[in-house]
């Protein structure tokens, strides 16, 4: 187990490597069409992509309970997202706060149902089946270095949710049945 | 049953039915824009007797019970292929009518359906049994209709894992 990539798939990369504190952006909500448009692949070394990753991290940081945010949620159609499930009770493996470009799920197993919400669908939650173990291949914003990330449990769910956003899909497109959407709050 | 939601409705109605010897079988309860709603089937005495027993629960018109007799044996097996349709987009008149018409034209039978309006977002999720071999044509037609309505539609086979 001396291979450092086992414990750190990011090879020492941290959000600080972006060299940009980022700006908090407004989060768009459904039915905004940008949320349903498949985002194009990006050049991870493009300064605009680095800026976008920093902005997503800044926006996630100030949003209570937010464990992930994808570019379409700030109105940009692109395959860039950020995740941070640190401290979440359903998390097992945790890689901290990170940003990925052009991510793809290359292995998925142990499908489990679970209820999830989304900042872009603030009033509903849905029961969605996701793989509890995934391997994701992506590129780091800035260096463009390739990443192969293996994770599980809640971090795996968050990754699949964000990769779906980049493909123009919401959890509403994946709910398990007619009784699998739920009102998050009541209006009285 | 439909009415103003409050704790204890299900318990009170169930007790009243049990008191009549009415055996509660299939039912579905949810809240629709804050209203308590419960549709239920039970085996037991005549409709008038049940309605009279539920009348004291009406709470001055805050809970409405309508009882009708239904014939037994509505459980006809139907050899369809189960599919799940999810539709979401900006609320506008006629979304449900347009997409369910596509299913009906293919002789698809909707077995479960939920619609929700939250703010400007309209969401519909329906489970439908389709005649074998019609799914591809239905999916194509749904995509056309959804594009015309400017809504998103996904259509996929229902997973039935037996665990
Ligand atoms: Zn989301």
């Amino acid at each position: 187990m001396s291979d450092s990539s086992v414990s750190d798939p990011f090879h020492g990369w941290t959000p600080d490597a972006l060299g940009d504190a980022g700006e908090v952006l407004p989060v768009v909500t459904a039915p905004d069409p940008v949320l349903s448009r498949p985002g194009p692949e990006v050049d991870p070394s493009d300064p605009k992509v680095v800026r976008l990753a920093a902005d997503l991290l800044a926006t996630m940081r100030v949003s209570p309970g937010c464990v992930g945010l994808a570019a379409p949620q700030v109105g940009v159609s692109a395959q860039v997202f950020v995740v941070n499930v640190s401290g979440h009770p359903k998390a097992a493996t945790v890689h901290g706060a990170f940003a990925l470009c052009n991510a793809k799920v290359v292995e998925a197993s142990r499908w489990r149902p679970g209820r999830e919400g989304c900042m872009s669908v603030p009033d509903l939650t849905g029961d969605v089946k996701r793989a509890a173990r995934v391997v994701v291949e992506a590129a780091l914003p800035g260096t463009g270095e390739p990443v192969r990330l293996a994770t599980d449990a809640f971090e795996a769910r968050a990754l699949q949710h964000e990769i779906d956003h980049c493909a123009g899909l919401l959890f509403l497109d994946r709910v398990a049945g007619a009784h699998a959407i739920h009102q998050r709050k009541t209006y009285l | 049953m439909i009415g103003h939601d409050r704790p204890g409705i299900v318990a009170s109605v169930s007790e009243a039915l049990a008191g009549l010897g009415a055996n509660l079988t299939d039912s579905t309860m949810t809240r629709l824009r804050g209203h308590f709603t419960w549709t239920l089937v039970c085996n037991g005495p005549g409709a008038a007797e049940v309605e009279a027993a539920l009348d004291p629960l009406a709470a001055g018109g805050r809970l409405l019970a309508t009882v009708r007799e239904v014939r037994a044996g509505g459980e006809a097996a139907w050899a369809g292929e189960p599919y799940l349709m999810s539709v979401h987009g900006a609320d506008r008149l006629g979304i449900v009518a347009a997409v369910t018409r596509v299913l009906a034209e293919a002789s698809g039978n909707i077995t479960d359906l939920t619609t929700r309006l939250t703010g400007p977002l309209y969401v519909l999720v329906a489970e439908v049994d389709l005649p074998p071999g019609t799914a591809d044509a239905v999916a194509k037609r749904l995509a056309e209709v959804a594009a015309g309505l400017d809504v998103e539609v996904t259509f996929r086979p229902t997973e039935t894992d037996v665990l």
Side-chain angles (χ1 to χ4, degrees), chain A residues 73 117-119 161-162 165:
Chain A
Q73 294 183 273
C118 178
M119 279 183 79
H161 181 110
E162 302 311 329
H165 271 304

Side-chain angles (χ1 to χ4, degrees), chain A residues 29-31 33 36 120-121 123-124 129 168-170 172-183 186-188, chain B residues 28 31 33-34 84 86 88-90 112-114 116-121 123 125-127 152 154 156 158-159 161:
Chain A
T29 56
S36 296
S120 296
V121 189
D123 299 329
L124 299 173
K129 208 175 193 188
L169 294 171
L170 298 173
L172 299 172
D173 298 304
R174 294 219 189 259
V175 289
H179 300 296
I181 54 170
H182 313 277
Q183 207 88 32
T186 53
Y187 298 101
L188 297 171
Chain B
T28 180
R31 297 195 308 171
R33 296 205 98 63
L84 185 68
S86 170
H88 58 91
D112 263 302
L113 176 141
T114 292
R116 295 278 173 187
L117 173 65
T118 59
L121 175 66
V123 180
V125 184
E127 292 170 42
E152 304 303 318
T154 52
R156 58 195 160 84
T158 309
E159 294 175 57
D161 301 330

Side-chain angles (χ1 to χ4, degrees), chain B:
Chain B
M1 312 212 47
I2 184 163
H4 180 83
D5 192 32
R6 60 178 165 81
I9 299 177
V10 173
S12 304
V13 171
S14 308
E15 277 164 20
L17 292 173
L20 286 172
N23 188 26
L24 179 56
T25 59
D26 292 7
S27 82
T28 180
M29 185 244 127
T30 192
R31 297 195 308 171
L32 302 177
R33 296 205 98 63
H35 300 283
F36 170 91
T37 67
W38 195 11
T39 307
L40 49 105
V41 174
C42 52
N43 295 319
E49 198 182 329
V50 177
E51 208 155 55
L54 295 176
D55 194 53
L57 303 174
R62 308 251 283 169
L63 182 65
L64 179 71
T66 310
V67 186
R68 293 281 182 276
E69 220 158 291
V70 291
R71 284 179 193 282
E75 298 174 38
W78 198 71
E81 295 174 342
Y83 279 78
L84 185 68
M85 176 178 74
S86 170
V87 179
H88 58 91
D91 182 36
R92 55 182 286 177
L93 204 61
I95 295 175
V96 181
V99 295
T100 58
R101 177 55 60 196
V102 173
L103 304 177
E105 280 168 355
S107 301
N109 191 32
I110 294 171
T111 56
D112 263 302
L113 176 141
T114 292
T115 64
R116 295 278 173 187
L117 173 65
T118 59
L121 175 66
Y122 197 83
V123 180
L124 176 159
V125 184
E127 292 170 42
V128 58
D129 281 345
L130 285 182
T134 60
D136 288 350
V138 169
K140 189 166 171 284
R141 184 76 192 115
L142 280 175
E144 292 166 1
V145 167
L149 292 164
D150 212 11
V151 297
E152 304 303 318
V153 63
T154 52
F155 187 70
R156 58 195 160 84
T158 309
E159 294 175 57
T160 46
D161 301 330
V162 182
L163 296 173

